[in-house]
Amino acid sequence: MNKCEQCIVRKLNSLGELTKDELVRISGCKSSDFVKKGEILFEEGDHINGVFCIKDGVCKVTKMSSNGREQIVKLVKKGDLLGERSLVSEEVSNLKATAINDMEICFIPKEEIVRDLKSNTNFTMSILKEMAVSLKEADNVIVDMAQKTVKQRLAETLLHLNKTYGSEDLDKPLDIQLSREDIASIIGTATESAIRLLSAFKKEKLIHLKGKEIYILNPKKLQHIAEGF
Amino acid sequence: MNKCEQCIVRKLNSLGELTKDELVRISGCKSSDFVKKGEILFEEGDHINGVFCIKDGVCKVTKMSSNGREQIVKLVKKGDLLGERSLVSEEVSNLKATAINDMEICFIPKEEIVRDLKSNTNFTMSILKEMAVSLKEADNVIVDMAQKTVKQRLAETLLHLNKTYGSEDLDKPLDIQLSREDIASIIGTATESAIRLLSAFKKEKLIHLKGKEIYILNPKKLQHIAEGF
DNA sequence: CAAAAAATATGACATTTATCAGCTTTTTTA
DNA sequence: TAAAAAAGCTGATAAATGTCATATTTTTTG
């Protein structure tokens, strides 16, 4: 089993605030796992009781609406933590996490992390900061969902994906493979509508599509569309 | 000026976790204020640098979308804290807060609160918990905005308002007066659409309207509508 | 590899929602 | 209190989006 204190991934999230001694202890109680594409990390109703640290891969975090459609609430990637909320809540999860591609993850039990949360101020403040950022982002998503058209939201989402999974090289596709259904589930629309708009963007040469590969050709124009022009 | 350590409102939020000594210190540096209906507490772009504790009244927290329409992100009422994010972020506010009715508020400067955040674990954990709850609620709103129809969202919103501002007595209206524009801005639709649906709900005897007063007559049926039936 | 299943794509149409115009009622202001 | 302004309401219509049907392509499976 790999050691947390030697793992580069910890530097990407709040775990980087832990001391060497704390990391050694965490290392001793954590479990590591490989998760295949399509497999479920946890579901709505599960007791999580710990935090996932994503070493590699991407998963989608979803919530089922009462209409019976799944909404992707966020994408979690290498370096991110998942399940922080379980640390300060006794409730079961209201979210489901599914691997988008093959993943490598670690799981740290709640009791161990909570210990540090109560003793290491830097760590706590870092978690607080992460939550604050998440809250701000959530507010932005709410406003977009409420006020923007599906077309604007698709443009927005493509730009967002480009920022996170795009390369400087315009000839390379986004480093994430989403189904059309996933894309629709991010922007909150019917799969057919997402497909239609993607086709329209392709026709306007804003993007290029090759199977599930997406090339962002004209981010500037996409930005204009996202802003309502 | 009133004293925090004697203020009942503190028991409604994380400030209740502070010790008597801490509260006395906070009391010495806080400022109190009355805010008239319609007045602005802070705007997008403002440096807040502190936390508001709402002693009385309600305010709407909004964000302007790039389309030029304001979206109400949440309503903040007596007992709530406002601006917690400023404690762990140097950024300017991305939100605007406007009084919905006459308010009485206290403002506690950031430096003072951050001191306690770093020394009083109970307080920090309480703030963490509040943020975790907010995050969960935000996820729910995102899913509703993305997946539900305007009609469903209106029903949902009425029930939500009923839970927070309703009385046990069905003959009494909700204890909050929102304009039709505000209601539209909560559910993310055009004012005319909100008015039309309110009229339809009234015709079906689910609610009763008398000016800005709203009476919830049939919460059960509203629940059904909110869930998509 | 062939058959079956799943995902993608597109058209036709129905439904939802926004927009604009005009009117009435309520609230504010001088 | 009268006039002006704002808010509320309703109808007509346009635009956006969802749904259903069906064809095609891609992926999975035996």
Side-chain angles (χ1 to χ4, degrees):
Chain A
M1 179 154 330
N2 292 313
K3 294 174 181 171
C4 295
E5 65 271 25
Q6 292 171 358
C7 178
I8 14 109
V9 167
R10 74 163 200 285
K11 297 206 175 169
L12 300 173
N13 59 50
S14 296
L15 296 177
E17 298 294 333
L18 294 180
T19 64
K20 175 124 197 250
D21 285 352
E22 287 166 337
L23 282 168
V24 169
R25 181 170 50 78
I26 292 293
S27 212
C29 66
K30 78 159 202 296
S31 57
S32 297
D33 209 355
F34 291 90
V35 183
K36 282 245 166 62
K37 174 181 173 174
E39 285 182 359
I40 293 166
L41 281 79
F42 58 83
E43 293 196 69
E44 293 184 49
D46 285 358
H47 282 275
I48 305 186
N49 285 324
V51 168
F52 296 88
C53 180
I54 313 298
K55 278 180 87 171
D56 202 20
V58 181
C59 72
K60 57 179 174 182
V61 179
T62 59
K63 182 166 163 55
M64 185 67 78
S65 88
S66 60
N67 292 12
R69 276 215 297 228
E70 266 194 355
Q71 175 68 25
I72 296 184
V73 170
K74 62 176 170 179
L75 295 173
V76 176
K77 62 176 193 306
K78 173 180 173 175
D80 292 342
L81 292 180
L82 176 60
E84 303 101 313
R85 277 214 322 267
S86 80
L87 299 182
V88 288
S89 162
E90 304 306 317
E91 296 171 32
V92 297
S93 175
N94 60 322
L95 301 171
K96 174 179 170 184
T98 313
I100 289 261
N101 48 33
D102 292 350
M103 301 181 75
E104 198 180 343
I105 60 174
C106 289
F107 178 80
I108 307 166
K110 176 171 173 172
E111 317 87 62
E112 295 297 329
I113 284 272
V114 168
R115 240 171 94 170
D116 300 316
L117 212 47
K118 287 184 176 161
S119 60
N120 182 334
T121 307
N122 289 337
F123 178 57
T124 319
M125 290 303 279
S126 179
I127 292 275
L128 259 181
K129 269 180 197 163
E130 277 189 21
M131 282 204 180
V133 169
S134 295
L135 265 175
K136 180 179 171 178
E137 283 172 358
D139 285 343
N140 288 337
V141 174
I142 289 171
V143 175
D144 285 350
M145 288 293 179
Q147 301 283 1
K148 291 190 172 180
T149 65
V150 173
K151 188 176 179 181
Q152 286 179 288
R153 267 142 54 198
L154 176 59
E156 186 90 42
T157 297
L158 289 169
L159 289 169
H160 208 266
L161 291 173
N162 194 35
K163 202 189 282 177
T164 313
Y165 304 100
S167 77
E168 329 72 54
D169 190 352
L170 284 177
D171 291 348
K172 282 188 179 167
L174 296 183
D175 188 25
I176 183 173
Q177 296 225 337
L178 297 166
S179 68
R180 301 295 191 259
E181 194 179 357
D182 283 337
I183 294 174
S185 175
I186 293 174
I187 64 183
T189 190
T191 307
E192 296 95 322
S193 297
I195 290 173
R196 247 182 270 274
L197 285 167
L198 281 170
S199 300
F201 282 180
K202 181 181 178 178
K203 196 174 278 177
E204 293 179 57
K205 305 235 182 272
L206 306 177
I207 59 174
H208 175 63
L209 300 171
K210 192 179 163 192
K212 283 193 175 51
E213 291 182 341
I214 299 176
Y215 299 76
I216 306 295
L217 303 181
N218 194 341
K220 213 164 176 175
K221 186 75 196 302
L222 284 172
Q223 186 67 50
H224 277 298
I225 291 172
E227 284 168 5
F229 300 103
Chain B
M1 180 157 325
N2 291 315
K3 295 175 180 171
C4 295
E5 65 272 24
Q6 292 171 356
C7 178
I8 14 107
V9 167
R10 73 163 200 283
K11 298 205 174 167
L12 300 172
N13 59 50
S14 296
L15 296 178
E17 298 294 333
L18 294 180
T19 63
K20 174 125 199 245
D21 286 352
E22 286 167 338
L23 282 169
V24 169
R25 181 170 50 76
I26 292 292
S27 212
C29 66
K30 78 159 203 293
S31 56
S32 295
D33 209 355
F34 291 90
V35 182
K36 282 246 165 65
K37 174 180 174 176
E39 285 182 358
I40 294 165
L41 281 78
F42 58 82
E43 294 198 68
E44 293 184 47
D46 284 0
H47 283 275
I48 305 187
N49 286 323
V51 168
F52 295 89
C53 180
I54 313 298
K55 278 180 87 171
D56 202 20
V58 181
C59 73
K60 58 179 175 182
V61 178
T62 59
K63 182 168 161 55
M64 184 68 77
S65 89
S66 61
N67 292 13
R69 275 215 296 230
E70 266 194 355
Q71 175 68 26
I72 295 184
V73 170
K74 63 175 169 180
L75 295 173
V76 176
K77 63 176 192 307
K78 174 179 172 175
D80 292 342
L81 292 181
L82 175 62
E84 302 100 312
R85 281 219 314 274
S86 80
L87 300 181
V88 288
S89 162
E90 304 306 316
E91 295 170 33
V92 297
S93 175
N94 60 323
L95 301 172
K96 174 180 169 183
T98 313
I100 289 262
N101 47 32
D102 292 351
M103 301 180 75
E104 197 180 343
I105 61 173
C106 289
F107 179 79
I108 307 165
K110 175 171 174 173
E111 317 88 61
E112 295 298 329
I113 283 273
V114 168
R115 239 172 96 171
D116 301 316
L117 212 49
K118 286 184 176 159
S119 60
N120 182 334
T121 306
N122 289 337
F123 178 57
T124 320
M125 291 303 279
S126 180
I127 292 275
L128 258 180
K129 269 181 198 162
E130 277 190 21
M131 282 205 179
V133 170
S134 295
L135 264 175
K136 181 178 172 180
E137 284 172 357
D139 285 343
N140 288 337
V141 174
I142 289 172
V143 176
D144 287 349
M145 288 292 178
Q147 301 282 2
K148 293 191 171 178
T149 65
V150 173
K151 188 175 178 180
Q152 286 179 288
R153 268 142 52 200
L154 177 58
E156 186 90 43
T157 297
L158 289 170
L159 289 169
H160 208 267
L161 290 174
N162 193 35
K163 202 189 285 176
T164 313
Y165 304 100
S167 77
E168 329 72 56
D169 190 352
L170 284 177
D171 291 348
K172 283 189 180 166
L174 297 183
D175 188 26
I176 183 174
Q177 297 225 335
L178 296 166
S179 69
R180 300 294 191 259
E181 194 179 358
D182 283 337
I183 294 173
S185 176
I186 293 173
I187 65 184
T189 190
T191 307
E192 295 95 323
S193 298
I195 289 174
R196 249 182 270 272
L197 285 167
L198 280 170
S199 300
F201 283 180
K202 181 180 179 178
K203 196 174 278 177
E204 293 179 56
K205 305 232 183 273
L206 306 177
I207 59 174
H208 175 63
L209 300 171
K210 191 180 166 192
K212 284 193 174 52
E213 291 183 339
I214 299 177
Y215 300 76
I216 305 296
L217 303 180
N218 193 340
K220 213 165 176 176
K221 186 76 195 300
L222 284 172
Q223 187 66 48
H224 277 298
I225 291 173
E227 283 168 7
F229 299 104

